[in-house]
């Protein structure tokens, strides 16, 4: 079992001249495999939200390695 979570504030570029700060809440779960004593592999599915007073954007992404 693998997992990840994150809570913070990110500065995101909205266009070439605009930037804004968003609260970032992200969490995810996945699976991990021991391929060898020194080699591991994992697959992780994250979901979360970026939000500020004017915008709310849910998202989902996957990671692997």
């Amino acid at each position: 079992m693998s997992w990840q979570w994150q809570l913070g504030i990110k500065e995101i570029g909205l266009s070439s001249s605009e930037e804004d700060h968003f609260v970032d809440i992200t969490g995810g779960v996945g699976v991990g495999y021991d391929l060898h004593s020194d080699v591991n592999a994992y697959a992780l599915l994250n979901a979360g939200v970026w939000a500020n007073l004017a915008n709310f954007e849910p998202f989902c992404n996957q990671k692997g390695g």
Side-chain angles (χ1 to χ4, degrees):
M1 174 76 116
S2 58
W3 58 273
Q4 173 183 359
W5 70 272
Q6 182 172 302
L7 173 64
I9 297 176
K10 288 189 173 184
E11 186 175 55
I12 298 171
L14 301 175
S15 68
S16 61
S17 63
E18 291 183 43
E19 291 183 346
D20 205 349
H21 291 85
F22 288 79
V23 173
D24 176 23
I25 303 170
T26 306
V29 294
V31 292
Y33 301 101
D34 290 331
L35 301 175
H36 187 271
S37 61
D38 294 330
V39 180
N40 299 330
Y42 73 94
L44 187 65
L45 180 62
N46 285 330
V49 64
W50 290 343
N52 66 9
L53 294 176
N55 298 301
F56 177 87
E57 183 178 337
F59 62 90
C60 185
N61 65 23
Q62 67 279 349
K63 293 183 179 181

